[in-house]
Amino acid sequence: MEKIFSKLNDSQAEAVKQTEGPVLILAGAGSGKTTTIISRLAYLIEVVGIPASNTLTLTFTNKAAKEMKERSLAMIENVAYPPLLCTFHKFGLLFLKFHIHLLNRQNNFVVIDTDDKKRIIKKINAELPTPLIASEISRYKNSLMSPDDAYKQAELFNYKQIAEIYAKYEAYLHENNLVDFDDLIALTYKLLDENPALAEATSKKYQYIMIDEYQDTNELQLKLIQKLCTSHKNICVVGDDDQSIYGWRGAHIRNIMEFDQDFLGTHVFKLEENYRSRPPILKVANALIEHNRSRLGKKLIPTRDGGEDVSIINSNDENEEARKIADNINKLLNQGVHAEDIAILYRVNVLSRSIEEGLNRAGINYKLVGGLRFYDRAEVKDLISYIRVITNFHDDFSLKRIINKPKRGLGKASVDKIELAAHANETSIFEYIKNVSVADLTALVKKKNTATLKKFIKDIEYVAKVARESTYEFIDVLEDTFHLKEIYKGMQDEADRVLNMDEFYGLFRDFVKKNPEQSLDEFLNELTLQSDQDQVEGESIYMMSIHASKGLEFGYVFIIGMEEGFLPLIGDGSDLEEERRLGYVSMTRAKDSLTLSHAASRFYKGRRSDLQKSRFFNEAGLMQGSLKLEKNTAFKKGDLVRHKLFGTGRITGVSKSGREFKLQINFSGTKRDILASFIEKL
């Protein structure tokens, strides 16, 4: 008991002790949210006597899950099986491994990442913008819409095309035994929804459920949680409505705002004591967020004393801004501040370019979080594709990526012929090449390539045999057999690519050492679940978007681009209240020092533009001015309107959003909140 409660304040302790029924813990930034949730888990297991296997704790990033797991295990003693504490997607992965056969799918499926998804879509249709199609397919899946449903609701021709692409995409995933990120949640819900007995059994297994970062859940995740609560209402969620910043990817703030309506009899606890930031930082953050109307209401109370006032950097343009920030960072480094305790945040990724150049000129090491991830590099993707084929010979998607790496003299036309022949014979490419006669194969490719392809298949079988016998030795045998480093021989960046491959080999060996019992496909699925925040480590300052910074903290934070149009972002359906929450999140990342920077002009989208200071300076009480005239709206409830992306819809509500007007619009069953200036009346 003492171990659990010694570091908790009164509000945290009360929340920990409320074990039965629905619980909403409103946890402000830096208020000890993680401490509270792991203490509650330890209390359930150590004091109440709930078996660890009957608990389920879900969060959103591997980094958060890893930290919570390590800290909770340090508080729990004598547990035969550790509690299940993982991301939503990891839970979906584990669940599908056991139950996907109920959907007539095989459990040795491979999880594809966003890049794989886009390549599949591009192959199906290269005319429409791939990111748009990928986004719409994701939206359909998270709305539990089948390709037929999507086609029926589409009013515009382009969206009927997207629905057809969606159908072909789904067929491809089924044929190749693949699932995408959205499937991990959508198929898990589908299984629970279509099998009431399974939902009941799963709910009885996980009798105490906790959800971290609840404000980031979307509609489908809420439905999944409700299924997991089929046999009980012991659901505890921790979150902060003021940090709901993922509306653009489907997160719904109403989940936390209306939690007490979804789960009747809710006990609400507010954690307002902030252990992270100095008082001057909290003063401006509190002042800014109070301008939002859609919030449950709380105020961060500082527990640390002192601290310097929030600084403002005024610059004529982005180059001057970069120089000033680099000078400030050099001063901090010369004073002994650790590089990794400094972060530069921005609302729009393109703003990083001028700062990167300024840091390079000043000789300051930096790491761009959310740039090209290690696992997205071509040479690493090739290695992953080899391992995928070795674990699943029938993975045509991965086989086609590596069939000519290193070069085996095969052009795209030859590979297409082989694929068509394999499909005609109702078999995978691997099985077709293995079993087809030399004469039949020679009819498709050049004679010299026939022997090469047959050897390629035999080599894969040999390496797969080694993998089954010794996972640790496998990676050396893979390189010795296929000489993958030779793919990049003579390239300008050969050294960098080989270094990346060696890094991957090292990561693989480390994984095997730490997880000797786990198989290759478990290693692959762990890779697919990596997130941007898993990059945050090492001796360099960090640069990242505000979205990527959520959940992190740094001693010294610089926020650039504090101008109207950048922060807040105005246009493309932006929501001013969510923009304000982004400002609040960015400010509350800072522990000791916060610097806000704006430029009078920036070179953006091919031209230089004069800019106004962000209204957030004024709203946070930092300077006068920066006011914008309110716009009137000619729209009213019931109007039929059109949006350039979402098509035709009907207004269901009109509300003020700061100094803008926000329209609630029903687009054929899909509801969106969009600023009036982006809507055309029909």
Side-chain angles (χ1 to χ4, degrees), residues 203 219 221-233 262-263:
S203 181
E219 188 178 353
Q221 284 161 336
L222 169 61
K223 287 183 174 180
L224 174 60
I225 292 162
Q226 288 172 324
K227 286 293 176 189
L228 293 173
C229 291
T230 298
S231 69
H232 63 80
K233 290 293 177 278
D262 294 329
F263 299 93

Side-chain angles (χ1 to χ4, degrees), residues 530-595:
Q530 295 287 331
S531 74
D532 282 349
Q533 290 191 5
D534 296 319
Q535 300 174 76
V536 179
E537 55 182 91
E539 283 286 329
S540 58
I541 73 160
Y542 291 107
M543 293 180 59
M544 67 190 82
S545 70
I546 297 169
H547 285 101
S549 75
K550 189 168 165 294
L552 304 176
E553 62 181 29
F554 302 91
Y556 302 81
V557 170
F558 295 82
I559 304 171
I560 66 169
M562 292 285 294
E563 301 102 26
E564 291 291 306
F566 288 107
L567 185 61
L569 187 67
I570 298 169
D572 295 330
S574 62
D575 177 343
L576 186 59
E577 293 218 347
E578 183 157 313
E579 292 298 307
R580 204 172 275 116
R581 292 194 291 270
L582 278 161
Y584 173 82
V585 165
S586 62
M587 290 173 180
T588 54
R589 298 312 92 201
K591 294 193 284 187
D592 297 306
S593 170
L594 175 63
T595 302

